Amino acid sequence: MSGHSKWSTIKRQKASTDAKRGQLFTKLSKEIMLAVQQGGGSNLDTNFKLRLSVQKAKDSNMPTDTIDNAIKRASGNLDGEQLNEIIYEGYGPGGTAILVQCLTSNKNRTAAAVRSTFNKFSGNLGENGCVSWNFEHKGIITTTHSEKDLDETALIAIDCGADDVTIVDGMLEILSNPENLENIRDSLEKESFQIQSSEESMIPKSTISLNENTAETTLKLLDELEEIQDVQKVHSNADFPDNILATYKNSQE
């Protein structure tokens, strides 16, 4: 597993302040709204993306009323905005490949904010396709250790359609094709695994190792990109030194 995955796992595990939690719920609401718009309705039984988005929101302890309101807004039952999905591609310090997934009702606002953040940390936006070739669309499940050993866990997950199982920062991360995500989650829950999160993500095919100074600047860039109102997820192929990740983890707790 890459250093990128370790950074992503830390982000998922970190304790959230009220402000951070409010920002997270806003992003999750947008994701739910887009799933309704793109998936053909608000029926959880027939809309896979909506089921996945709602489950992700529940994993993050998002209130049921907030989830329901996001679905209603996207269904036209409440005033809501029309969202557009945009992916920006660029390079960070040391040539790090970065994908920025956005949901926005104002493309000009989002483009300006993303470009300004890249420039602030000596990065630059690139053309469509400049780095996306190095990423794979995957489903990713994060779960706590069970009494089963890693080999047994891997066999259970692989039997359900997983591609890989590994330990990252004390957590089990399971990769699969997005289509297998629900089946694997259901199977693991039947085996009494405690699921922390399940979502679709972009996983780098290869990574780039960074020295300490470059790693610190890259982490700041990734964090500030995630703080942008319209940014949903940020993906990178950076492989961070363990001591930098340890310091970063402590700063997030």
Side-chain angles (χ1 to χ4, degrees):
M1 267 297 201
S2 68
H4 160 77
S5 291
K6 292 180 182 179
W7 168 72
S8 298
T9 302
I10 291 170
K11 296 291 288 187
R12 285 192 293 269
Q13 287 181 284
K14 74 185 179 98
S16 297
T17 63
D18 289 341
K20 292 285 187 182
R21 186 168 295 276
Q23 183 185 55
L24 172 62
F25 289 169
T26 298
K27 292 178 184 290
L28 291 170
S29 292
K30 285 185 175 182
E31 192 169 320
I32 290 170
M33 291 171 65
L34 185 71
V36 173
Q37 293 171 9
Q38 291 186 340
S42 58
N43 189 328
L44 290 174
D45 292 331
T46 59
N47 189 334
F48 164 74
K49 285 191 174 294
L50 180 58
R51 287 200 307 275
L52 186 63
S53 297
V54 168
Q55 184 60 63
K56 182 178 175 182
K58 289 180 178 179
D59 289 340
S60 300
N61 298 316
M62 187 170 172
T64 301
D65 287 348
T66 307
I67 294 173
D68 291 341
N69 284 337
I71 294 174
K72 289 177 181 177
R73 284 200 300 274
S75 303
N77 297 325
L78 295 174
D79 291 336
E81 56 187 354
Q82 183 65 37
L83 297 172
N84 296 292
E85 189 173 21
I86 305 172
I87 297 179
Y88 294 99
E89 304 182 34
Y91 299 94
T96 306
I98 298 175
L99 284 180
V100 186
Q101 292 181 282
C102 304
L103 292 179
T104 181
S105 57
N106 187 323
K107 294 180 181 180
N108 291 335
R109 175 189 67 207
T110 307
V114 171
R115 186 181 301 278
S116 174
T117 304
F118 267 96
N119 291 341
K120 179 178 177 181
F121 294 96
S122 301
N124 61 280
L125 284 178
E127 300 293 330
N128 289 340
C130 67
V131 300
S132 57
W133 60 269
N134 192 34
F135 290 83
E136 294 180 289
H137 184 202
K138 290 287 187 179
I140 182 167
I141 296 174
T142 305
T143 177
T144 55
H145 275 296
S146 72
E147 295 179 357
K148 300 177 176 63
D149 63 28
L150 183 59
D151 288 339
E152 185 178 356
T153 300
L155 287 175
I156 292 171
I158 289 171
D159 283 345
C160 299
D163 296 332
D164 189 27
V165 180
T166 190
I167 298 176
V168 181
D169 195 42
M171 303 289 291
L172 288 176
E173 285 200 345
I174 300 164
L175 294 183
S176 72
N177 287 328
E179 294 79 8
N180 294 331
L181 195 59
E182 277 189 305
N183 182 46
I184 295 171
R185 180 183 177 118
D186 290 344
S187 298
L188 290 175
E189 287 181 330
K190 289 177 182 177
E191 294 287 340
S192 300
F193 284 87
Q194 297 297 313
I195 305 299
Q196 299 297 309
S197 65
S198 57
E199 62 181 331
E200 295 181 14
S201 189
M202 301 298 291
I203 305 298
K205 299 175 185 177
S206 62
T207 60
I208 181 171
S209 297
L210 302 178
N211 62 40
E212 292 189 6
N213 289 336
T214 303
E216 290 177 352
T217 304
T218 301
L219 283 171
K220 291 177 182 178
L221 168 58
L222 298 177
D223 269 352
E224 289 214 14
L225 284 170
E226 286 200 334
E227 292 296 317
I228 296 173
Q229 173 185 345
D230 301 320
V231 171
Q232 291 294 109
K233 299 177 185 177
V234 179
H235 311 281
S236 166
N237 73 335
D239 188 359
F240 298 104
D242 288 340
N243 63 315
I244 297 297
L245 281 176
T247 301
Y248 178 76
K249 180 181 179 180
N250 291 335
S251 72
Q252 300 298 299
E253 293 176 345

